[in-house]
Amino acid sequence: MLPMHLLLLLFSFAIVMQSVVRGASSLPHPGCPDKCGDVDIVYPFGIGPGCAMEEGFELHCNKSQDGHKNVTYFSKLPVVDISLLQGQVRMMSNIASTCHNHSTTYLLDFHGTPFTVSEKENMFTVIGANALAFMAGARQSAIYVIGCLTQSSPYKNLTAQEGLCTGVGCCQVALSSRLSYHNISFSDANASDENASGMDGERHCRYAMVVEADKFKFHTAYLNATNFWDEHKGEVPIILNWAVGDKTCDVAKKDTASYACRSSNSYCINSTSHPGYLCNCSEGYRGNPYLSGSGGCQDINECDLNPPPCPGYCINTQGSFFCQNTKNRSFSHSGTAIISVGLSVTVVMLVIAVTCSYLIRERRKLANIKERYFRQHGGLLLLEQISSGQGTTFTIFTEAELMEATDQFDDKNVLGRGGHGTVYKGTLKNGTAVAIKRCISMTDEQQRKEFGKEMLILSQVNHKNIVKLLGCCLEVEVPMLVYEFIPNGTLFQFIHGINGCRSTPFSTRIRIAHESALAMDYLHSCASPPILHGDVKSSNILLDDNYSAKVSDFGASIVAPTDESQFVTLVQGTCGYLDPEYMQTCQLTDKSDVYSFGVVLLELITGKKALSLQGPESERSLSMRFLCALKEGRLMDVIDDHIKGEENVGLLEEVADLARQCLEMAGENRPAMREVAERLDRLRKVMQHPWMQRNPEEVESLLGGREPSVAGVEMVSSTTFLTMEKRVGLLEFGR
Ligand SMILES: *[C@@H]1O[C@H](CO)[C@@H](O)[C@H](O)[C@H]1NC(C)=O
Ligand SMILES: *[C@@H]1O[C@H](CO)[C@@H](O)[C@H](O)[C@H]1NC(C)=O
Ligand SMILES: *[C@@H]1O[C@H](CO)[C@@H](O)[C@H](O)[C@H]1NC(C)=O
Ligand SMILES: *[C@@H]1O[C@H](CO)[C@@H](O)[C@H](O)[C@H]1NC(C)=O
Ligand SMILES: *[C@@H]1O[C@H](CO)[C@@H](O)[C@H](O)[C@H]1NC(C)=O
Ligand SMILES: *[C@@H]1O[C@H](CO)[C@@H](O)[C@H](O)[C@H]1NC(C)=O
Ligand SMILES: *[C@@H]1O[C@H](CO)[C@@H](O)[C@H](O)[C@H]1NC(C)=O
Ligand SMILES: *[C@@H]1O[C@H](CO)[C@@H](O)[C@H](O)[C@H]1NC(C)=O
Ligand SMILES: *[C@@H]1O[C@H](CO)[C@@H](O)[C@H](O)[C@H]1NC(C)=O
Ligand SMILES: *[C@@H]1O[C@H](CO)[C@@H](O)[C@H](O)[C@H]1NC(C)=O
Ligand SMILES: *[C@@H]1O[C@H](CO)[C@@H](O)[C@H](O)[C@H]1NC(C)=O
């Protein structure tokens, strides 16, 4: 078996090598200072020729006036610190002042630089008695003026308050966004009104500035003499936003020569304060996204975190990590188990593999990488599947074909972006609409593995509620998967989207749940070997033309281990859906999928998200919230208003009970997916039963006559039947 694994290893290694070589040019030359005074200078900023990405990011390092330390300057402004990932810098800006016999204005102009004044962090602030100051600014081409007037103290019954900027002695006004320029001046009407302050007439002053709100605190002593100026030495901190260039991500990406996100594990974000964009490291990485190679985004070793993320042996991988809680050999164990499925093919493969691996091994010394890539068995298994002739509709596409289908991967065709890849809509030559999943960067081991796994799993299954894999593109640099196109988005969008579930009747929701359950049951019981989805959530359930469910995204799936010693585990999944037992044992089981499915069920009946970041802690997780409500007998409080109708009460209770069982803490107490599907099926039958189509008198006589033949009818009262007919008739969805 080993040489086959080796083949895959070598295959993957070749990909890694290629991308490493391709991205090797890094920009700032090695001699650039990385510190000046207390400021860490990070690229794209730089000091000295050739160190900054472009002129606007050039800084200077000069001796401070007293000559004791170095100070970093941007133009004439001292820089205090640089935040690379937030796209901000803190600089010191001057204070405009007016005293009894003179007045200064203050102008700050960032036109033509990468900076704008942050409207979130800064406030226009005026100090003094009876001071009226104005700030004129420019937002792109429009001029905008704000003013702020302070009252003298005491004003009416108010006095200046220590620590508070209340309008007496101190006032503050928020700024507008995208200010590239501001000009602060005082109204000179009362500049010489010495009596107004009621203090130390000769020397009292008024001040106006744009200042970082968190760093400013008003003290009543500032109203006296020149205390404020003296304390701050005439300058205050101000936060500026910066961004690269003046294009959005999509446009910038096209020009690879100037595209600033050079690290292969980085992504691009449109700036909210600029026309330009910012770069950030992908999840699981940290470092400088503007640099390629070793200075760029590097893998975070999660296993070194304190506390370590999982019990047992933690194995770090690129961008993620594994938890392995049995013997070290378990990886090879499960490999063997899966491979035994396609034994006949393996013999043929073996011969090829031995030859290839020998040849390639001669060329590269890889001994220490074997173990690592061995885990990426997904690709290998796919090769087996393809060569064994399964899935006759499976097509190998060329890159050119897919480029054409997606208009060169134009952004207007993007259907969605995940952490690992982008999904495009495409139209093949024969007119078939397809969805094409393309990994952002295949240097990421995790992605390659998921890619291979997804191919493997999807090429094996054939179920009407599972998204179909039509083919793939195996050109080494950018592997891609081609699926059937599912037009109506995800269940998540459907439930939580703009129009929400509002008009969706209960029966449609139950149908979607039932179809998803069928797909999950198929994976658990009918696929051979069984497959665990591993990341069941509403955003992984797609909806087709008829709003039928199609389970998708098998990136986190695993082939179920066949005995206890073979747990191969990977902590993945999504907060809010994760099986609590799985978090403790790190063992993914079919009951973990049942748990996640329970959460999806809750989303369907409550219309709420699995995890909300608002509200008290106990309310954040939908499952907790639901279980609490159920315990306290407040079920109806959490049910979506749109399906709460009296006629649904019995059915809702049944669904809630099913969800509760799926959410049992102990996996063994949860029902199997088969049972879940059966119970949902019964509910559907009850709702669709021909009685419902007849008129009420008939139904009544029917109910009076004989026992209903459909199982599960017990819990539905006769009134439920009577009213449900109308409801279903009125609201039947999507027709
Ligand atoms: C200031 O910078 C120069 C190089 O620009 C360096 O040689 C010197 O040590 C620095 N001084 C301080 C106090 O950091
Ligand atoms: C810092 O020094 C550079 C030359 O070394 C000079 O051009 C620049 O004006 C100086 N900046 C400040 C704020 O002193
Ligand atoms: C970049 O990522 C870090 C960590 O994930 C996050 O804190 C930061 O807000 C991100 N920056 C932007 C501009 O989104
Ligand atoms: C302001 O007045 C003081 C004395 O009150 C004087 O010393 C100073 O030169 C004056 N400044 C200006 C700019 O007129
Ligand atoms: C100010 O205080 C006085 C006495 O303390 C009170 O009579 C008056 O109503 C107050 N005025 C206002 C505007 O609060
Ligand atoms: C700044 O504002 C003052 C007062 O409004 C005005 O006289 C001056 O021309 C302005 N400066 C610029 C550069 O706009
Ligand atoms: C200027 O002072 C006069 C007299 O002290 C006062 O009536 C007026 O309200 C003041 N104007 C402003 C803008 O503070
Ligand atoms: C300032 O106050 C003094 C007495 O407190 C008064 O004589 C003088 O007229 C006042 N000046 C003005 C401009 O109101
Ligand atoms: C104003 O400040 C000076 C010194 O800064 C102090 O001597 C004086 O007492 C202060 N006056 C008031 C009213 O606080
Ligand atoms: C950036 O902004 C453009 C134009 O507003 C938009 O089409 C694009 O989807 C955005 N890209 C990202 C990555 O947010
Ligand atoms: C399992 O692997 C870890 C590191 O990979 C090693 O430290 C440990 O000794 C191994 N345990 C066994 C039982 O082989």
Side-chain angles (χ1 to χ4, degrees):
M1 219 48 61
L2 192 65
M4 294 179 59
H5 301 145
L6 203 60
L7 174 66
L8 180 73
L9 306 189
L10 297 170
F11 202 60
S12 326
F13 186 69
I15 300 173
V16 175
M17 287 310 289
Q18 265 180 14
S19 27
V20 167
V21 172
R22 272 148 40 95
S25 68
S26 67
L27 254 182
H29 61 73
C32 293
D34 58 0
K35 211 169 169 66
C36 170
D38 299 330
V39 184
D40 291 318
I41 310 297
V42 284
Y43 192 78
F45 292 91
I47 294 175
C51 289
M53 184 166 72
E54 53 187 45
E55 207 186 327
F57 291 102
E58 257 167 44
L59 304 176
H60 297 283
C61 191
N62 295 11
K63 279 244 141 50
S64 67
Q65 259 139 16
D66 58 12
H68 287 315
K69 55 179 189 173
N70 291 335
V71 177
T72 312
Y73 287 96
F74 171 78
S75 181
K76 297 262 179 294
L77 298 174
V79 174
V80 183
D81 49 44
I82 301 174
S83 161
L84 192 65
L85 298 183
Q86 306 300 333
Q88 295 193 319
V89 291
R90 178 178 286 125
M91 294 189 188
M92 299 307 290
S93 119
N94 286 355
I95 299 169
S97 65
T98 178
C99 297
H100 69 287
N101 61 355
H102 74 278
S103 173
T104 61
T105 63
Y106 178 57
L107 175 75
L108 202 52
D109 191 350
F110 291 106
H111 268 134
T113 74
F115 302 100
T116 57
V117 179
S118 166
E119 80 277 12
K120 291 210 187 73
E121 277 85 0
N122 302 307
M123 293 275 240
F124 177 54
T125 304
V126 179
I127 294 174
N130 284 347
L132 173 61
F134 295 105
M135 192 186 97
R139 311 179 50 180
Q140 284 131 339
S141 57
I143 296 288
Y144 132 109
V145 180
I146 53 178
C148 196
L149 170 68
T150 63
Q151 301 295 349
S152 59
S153 184
Y155 170 74
K156 304 215 169 131
N157 280 0
L158 298 173
T159 53
Q161 287 181 40
E162 181 66 22
L164 292 178
C165 197
T166 54
V168 177
C170 171
C171 71
Q172 285 189 318
V173 184
L175 301 181
S176 165
S177 64
R178 297 199 175 191
L179 280 185
S180 59
Y181 148 101
H182 63 251
N183 177 10
I184 299 175
S185 55
F186 288 92
S187 151
D188 46 14
N190 283 18
S192 57
D193 180 12
E194 296 156 22
N195 284 7
S197 74
M199 290 185 199
D200 205 7
E202 262 299 87
R203 297 178 56 223
H204 86 268
C205 288
R206 293 145 192 183
Y207 303 101
M209 71 222 114
V210 173
V211 61
E212 182 181 357
D214 286 347
K215 292 275 159 86
F216 173 81
K217 195 155 194 201
F218 174 70
H219 297 296
T220 44
Y222 290 165
L223 295 174
N224 179 10
T226 56
N227 284 350
F228 179 68
W229 182 279
D230 299 341
E231 187 180 318
H232 290 83
K233 303 200 172 62
E235 45 181 34
V236 286
I238 174 173
I239 300 285
L240 303 173
N241 292 323
W242 56 269
V244 179
D246 55 4
K247 302 189 179 76
T248 58
C249 289
D250 331 74
V251 183
K253 254 179 216 163
K254 294 212 173 94
D255 183 1
T256 42
S258 70
Y259 183 49
C261 307
R262 288 173 180 273
S263 173
S264 46
N265 297 307
S266 67
Y267 63 97
C268 177
I269 316 159
N270 284 339
S271 167
T272 51
S273 58
H274 279 265
Y277 62 95
L278 291 169
C279 306
N280 210 343
C281 287
S282 313
E283 206 183 323
Y285 291 84
R286 67 178 149 221
N288 188 336
Y290 299 92
L291 292 176
S292 57
S294 61
C297 300
Q298 301 296 318
D299 176 44
I300 298 169
N301 187 344
E302 290 86 356
C303 299
D304 280 357
L305 297 177
N306 193 14
C310 54
Y313 301 116
C314 174
I315 297 167
N316 186 44
T317 65
Q318 287 294 309
S320 183
F321 61 96
F322 281 107
C323 293
Q324 181 195 7
N325 60 351
T326 52
K327 294 173 223 81
N328 286 7
R329 293 178 307 145
S330 58
F331 285 120
S332 46
H333 261 257
S334 88
T336 324
I338 302 160
I339 284 158
S340 59
V341 175
L343 200 66
S344 56
V345 190
T346 7
V347 179
V348 182
M349 291 295 294
L350 198 72
V351 179
I352 305 169
V354 169
T355 325
C356 288
S357 66
Y358 176 75
L359 287 175
I360 305 173
R361 185 156 43 171
E362 282 303 291
R363 282 167 53 199
R364 302 190 194 210
K365 304 213 184 316
L366 284 169
N368 55 347
I369 310 177
K370 279 188 225 168
E371 165 72 14
R372 207 168 116 209
Y373 286 112
F374 166 50
R375 290 169 210 144
Q376 302 175 334
H377 51 240
L380 174 68
L381 287 156
L382 177 77
L383 291 180
E384 277 179 43
Q385 291 295 330
I386 294 173
S387 56
S388 74
Q390 285 186 10
T392 43
T393 56
F394 195 84
T395 317
I396 307 279
F397 293 93
T398 65
E399 187 170 17
E401 275 176 289
L402 298 185
M403 294 274 278
E404 199 190 320
T406 58
D407 227 340
Q408 328 298 322
F409 294 106
D410 195 286
D411 274 294
K412 71 175 189 301
N413 290 326
V414 172
L415 292 172
R417 285 177 216 272
H420 300 308
T422 307
V423 181
Y424 294 85
K425 180 180 178 180
T427 312
L428 298 179
K429 270 217 188 78
N430 66 12
T432 318
V434 292
I436 299 172
K437 180 164 168 182
R438 184 197 205 198
C439 298
I440 298 166
S441 131
M442 289 300 284
T443 50
D444 183 334
E445 185 187 334
Q446 180 76 24
Q447 276 175 31
R448 259 200 320 279
K449 194 168 53 220
E450 286 179 8
F451 171 83
K453 219 160 40 178
E454 182 150 6
M455 270 209 286
L456 163 70
I457 287 173
L458 281 176
S459 66
Q460 282 181 339
V461 302
N462 182 12
H463 188 275
K464 69 175 170 31
N465 297 118
I466 296 176
V467 69
K468 273 198 188 49
L469 182 67
L470 303 177
C472 67
C473 169
L474 279 178
E475 294 191 12
V476 181
E477 282 172 23
V478 209
M480 287 174 263
L481 295 174
V482 181
Y483 309 87
E484 62 175 326
F485 177 67
I486 312 289
N488 270 332
T490 67
L491 179 58
F492 181 88
Q493 290 162 348
F494 183 65
I495 302 176
H496 311 294
I498 298 162
N499 299 323
C501 236
R502 271 164 234 305
S503 57
T504 316
F506 188 41
S507 61
T508 304
R509 302 186 196 204
I510 292 301
R511 181 170 54 71
I512 292 173
H514 177 230
E515 286 167 347
S516 312
L518 285 177
M520 298 303 306
D521 175 42
Y522 172 86
L523 292 173
H524 289 179
S525 332
C526 302
S528 160
I531 291 159
L532 307 182
H533 186 284
D535 196 9
V536 178
K537 54 178 169 180
S538 54
S539 50
N540 282 342
I541 296 174
L542 305 179
L543 297 174
D544 75 2
D545 289 321
N546 302 322
Y547 292 88
S548 268
K550 299 263 188 184
V551 173
S552 78
D553 200 340
F554 290 76
S557 306
I558 66 168
V559 172
T562 48
D563 78 59
E564 287 282 309
S565 68
Q566 291 173 354
F567 283 111
V568 179
T569 50
L570 169 67
V571 170
Q572 251 191 336
T574 305
C575 289
Y577 296 91
L578 258 184
D579 173 8
E581 195 177 60
Y582 169 41
M583 314 252 281
Q584 284 169 8
T585 61
C586 278
Q587 292 184 344
L588 190 66
T589 68
D590 53 347
K591 296 299 177 64
S592 312
D593 282 348
V594 173
Y595 184 92
S596 310
F597 183 82
V599 181
V600 174
L601 210 49
L602 289 187
E603 273 181 273
L604 276 166
I605 59 172
T606 62
K608 297 189 174 62
K609 293 188 184 166
L611 200 64
S612 94
L613 294 178
Q614 274 110 45
E617 207 163 313
S618 59
E619 301 260 286
R620 289 191 186 164
S621 141
L622 178 57
S623 50
M624 298 246 295
R625 202 163 145 191
F626 166 77
L627 291 174
C628 277
L630 204 60
K631 210 167 174 182
E632 294 165 15
R634 297 184 289 109
L635 172 64
M636 286 300 147
D637 289 2
V638 295
I639 299 292
D640 191 341
D641 290 339
H642 304 95
I643 55 171
K644 234 183 226 170
E646 202 184 303
E647 68 278 13
N648 284 340
V649 169
L651 296 167
L652 276 170
E653 277 170 359
E654 175 72 359
V655 180
D657 184 58
L658 180 58
R660 180 191 57 73
Q661 290 181 26
C662 292
L663 299 175
E664 279 285 342
M665 273 298 158
E668 56 182 345
N669 296 341
R670 297 175 204 152
M673 215 60 226
R674 164 79 37 99
E675 191 186 332
V676 175
E678 279 166 0
R679 286 177 63 178
L680 287 168
D681 186 37
R682 260 181 274 156
L683 283 173
R684 271 185 81 184
K685 287 204 176 110
V686 168
M687 300 171 88
Q688 283 169 354
H689 199 272
W691 296 332
M692 318 267 287
Q693 314 301 325
R694 301 185 191 182
N695 65 43
E697 293 80 40
E698 255 181 281
V699 176
E700 208 149 26
S701 66
L702 258 174
L703 282 174
R706 68 191 145 89
E707 276 302 299
S709 59
V710 185
V713 158
E714 308 82 73
M715 79 285 167
V716 188
S717 70
S718 61
T719 52
T720 311
F721 275 97
L722 296 177
T723 40
M724 195 176 310
E725 180 200 6
K726 293 179 208 135
R727 192 171 169 82
V728 171
L730 282 174
L731 296 178
E732 186 52 58
F733 184 80
R735 298 285 138 82

Short mmCIF file of all heavy atoms in Angstrom, two decimals, residues 84-87 267 269 278-281 283 285, ligand 3:
data_model
loop_
_atom_site.label_atom_id
_atom_site.label_comp_id
_atom_site.label_asym_id
_atom_site.label_seq_id
_atom_site.Cartn_x
_atom_site.Cartn_y
_atom_site.Cartn_z
N LEU A 84 -1.27 47.02 11.20
CA LEU A 84 -1.21 46.47 9.86
C LEU A 84 -2.55 45.89 9.43
O LEU A 84 -3.04 46.15 8.34
CB LEU A 84 -0.15 45.37 9.85
CG LEU A 84 0.29 44.88 8.50
CD1 LEU A 84 0.96 45.98 7.73
CD2 LEU A 84 1.21 43.69 8.66
N LEU A 85 -3.17 45.08 10.32
CA LEU A 85 -4.36 44.35 9.91
C LEU A 85 -5.62 45.19 9.97
O LEU A 85 -6.57 44.94 9.24
CB LEU A 85 -4.51 43.08 10.75
CG LEU A 85 -3.34 42.10 10.60
CD1 LEU A 85 -3.58 40.85 11.39
CD2 LEU A 85 -3.08 41.76 9.14
N GLN A 86 -5.63 46.20 10.85
CA GLN A 86 -6.81 47.07 10.90
C GLN A 86 -6.73 48.17 9.87
O GLN A 86 -7.70 48.90 9.66
CB GLN A 86 -6.96 47.71 12.29
CG GLN A 86 -6.99 46.75 13.45
CD GLN A 86 -8.13 45.77 13.36
OE1 GLN A 86 -9.16 46.06 12.78
NE2 GLN A 86 -7.95 44.58 13.91
N GLY A 87 -5.55 48.36 9.27
CA GLY A 87 -5.40 49.44 8.30
C GLY A 87 -5.48 50.81 8.95
O GLY A 87 -6.18 51.69 8.46
N TYR A 267 -5.91 37.24 1.98
CA TYR A 267 -7.07 37.59 1.16
C TYR A 267 -7.25 39.10 1.17
O TYR A 267 -6.59 39.81 1.93
CB TYR A 267 -8.33 36.87 1.67
CG TYR A 267 -8.76 37.26 3.05
CD1 TYR A 267 -9.74 38.21 3.26
CD2 TYR A 267 -8.17 36.67 4.18
CE1 TYR A 267 -10.14 38.57 4.54
CE2 TYR A 267 -8.56 37.02 5.46
CZ TYR A 267 -9.54 37.97 5.62
OH TYR A 267 -9.93 38.35 6.89
N ILE A 269 -9.60 42.68 1.27
CA ILE A 269 -10.84 43.24 1.81
C ILE A 269 -11.01 44.64 1.22
O ILE A 269 -10.06 45.43 1.26
CB ILE A 269 -10.76 43.43 3.34
CG1 ILE A 269 -10.14 42.23 4.01
CG2 ILE A 269 -12.11 43.76 3.92
CD1 ILE A 269 -9.58 42.57 5.38
N LEU A 278 -7.50 46.52 1.60
CA LEU A 278 -6.54 46.05 2.61
C LEU A 278 -6.33 44.55 2.42
O LEU A 278 -7.12 43.89 1.77
CB LEU A 278 -7.10 46.28 4.01
CG LEU A 278 -7.22 47.73 4.47
CD1 LEU A 278 -8.03 47.80 5.75
CD2 LEU A 278 -5.84 48.33 4.69
N CYS A 279 -5.26 44.03 3.01
CA CYS A 279 -5.02 42.60 2.94
C CYS A 279 -5.08 42.04 4.35
O CYS A 279 -4.85 42.74 5.33
CB CYS A 279 -3.64 42.31 2.38
SG CYS A 279 -3.37 43.12 0.78
N ASN A 280 -5.41 40.76 4.45
CA ASN A 280 -5.40 40.13 5.77
C ASN A 280 -4.96 38.68 5.59
O ASN A 280 -5.05 38.13 4.50
CB ASN A 280 -6.79 40.20 6.40
CG ASN A 280 -6.71 40.25 7.91
OD1 ASN A 280 -5.68 39.93 8.50
ND2 ASN A 280 -7.80 40.64 8.55
N CYS A 281 -4.48 38.06 6.67
CA CYS A 281 -4.07 36.67 6.59
C CYS A 281 -5.31 35.78 6.65
O CYS A 281 -6.25 36.08 7.37
CB CYS A 281 -3.15 36.32 7.74
SG CYS A 281 -1.51 37.03 7.54
N GLU A 283 -7.63 32.55 7.68
CA GLU A 283 -7.83 31.97 9.00
C GLU A 283 -6.79 30.90 9.27
O GLU A 283 -6.45 30.12 8.39
CB GLU A 283 -9.23 31.36 9.04
CG GLU A 283 -9.78 31.30 10.43
CD GLU A 283 -11.14 30.61 10.43
OE1 GLU A 283 -11.90 30.81 9.46
OE2 GLU A 283 -11.39 29.87 11.38
N TYR A 285 -3.70 31.59 9.98
CA TYR A 285 -2.38 32.12 9.64
C TYR A 285 -2.19 33.47 10.30
O TYR A 285 -3.16 34.17 10.57
CB TYR A 285 -2.25 32.30 8.13
CG TYR A 285 -2.19 31.00 7.39
CD1 TYR A 285 -3.35 30.33 7.05
CD2 TYR A 285 -0.98 30.42 7.06
CE1 TYR A 285 -3.31 29.11 6.39
CE2 TYR A 285 -0.93 29.22 6.40
CZ TYR A 285 -2.09 28.57 6.07
OH TYR A 285 -2.02 27.38 5.43
C1 LIG B 3 -7.77 40.79 9.95
O1 LIG B 3 -7.83 39.61 10.71
C2 LIG B 3 -7.70 39.83 12.10
C3 LIG B 3 -7.66 38.50 12.77
O2 LIG B 3 -8.47 37.58 12.15
C4 LIG B 3 -8.86 40.69 12.59
O3 LIG B 3 -8.71 40.96 13.96
C5 LIG B 3 -8.86 41.99 11.82
O4 LIG B 3 -9.96 42.77 12.18
C6 LIG B 3 -8.90 41.73 10.33
N1 LIG B 3 -8.75 43.01 9.64
C7 LIG B 3 -9.68 43.53 8.85
C8 LIG B 3 -9.39 44.86 8.23
O5 LIG B 3 -10.74 42.95 8.64
#
